[in-house]
Amino acid sequence: IGQLFEKSGSYFLKYEEAIQIDELNHPTQVLIKILSDDSLEIVRTGASRLKLRFILGEDVQSAIQSAHGPMALITKTNKLIHQNGKLSLDYQLFSNGELLGDYHFRLNYK
């Protein structure tokens, strides 16, 4: 359960999820910003702080701040669709030029 609000042509989705670290669930606040310029930001705040930005077809600098220190990340967005209460995002995540993984994020909201 979360909140959806609109401001100046952008949409904001806010909710809490539990992230499992060392077999313990840590509450994590999530803010998804669907911006009016067709870009997207995901900010997760909890045991660590993660801020990812997505722009279709572009490599974008992002970062994670954890107890181990900051780590620079790059997102490469292959698919970004937002329409009719559905968000679909496919991206690759890189650190130091190395592919960390291919990710698929889907969210339905109303």
Side-chain angles (χ1 to χ4, degrees), residues 76-95:
K76 181 177 182 177
T77 307
N78 301 313
K79 178 182 179 181
L80 177 55
I81 299 171
H82 171 245
Q83 60 186 12
N84 303 322
K86 295 181 180 184
L87 177 61
S88 182
L89 171 66
D90 293 347
Y91 66 98
Q92 294 175 306
L93 190 61
F94 295 85
S95 179

Side-chain angles (χ1 to χ4, degrees), residues 51-54 58-63 72-75:
K51 183 175 181 180
L52 299 176
R53 185 168 171 104
F54 305 92
E58 293 188 25
D59 293 355
V60 180
Q61 291 187 355
S62 297
L73 301 169
I74 300 287
T75 61

Side-chain angles (χ1 to χ4, degrees), residues 19-32:
I19 302 292
Q20 191 172 33
I21 301 172
D22 297 327
E23 299 182 21
L24 297 173
N25 285 328
H26 296 268
T28 301
Q29 300 296 318
V30 179
L31 177 63
I32 298 175

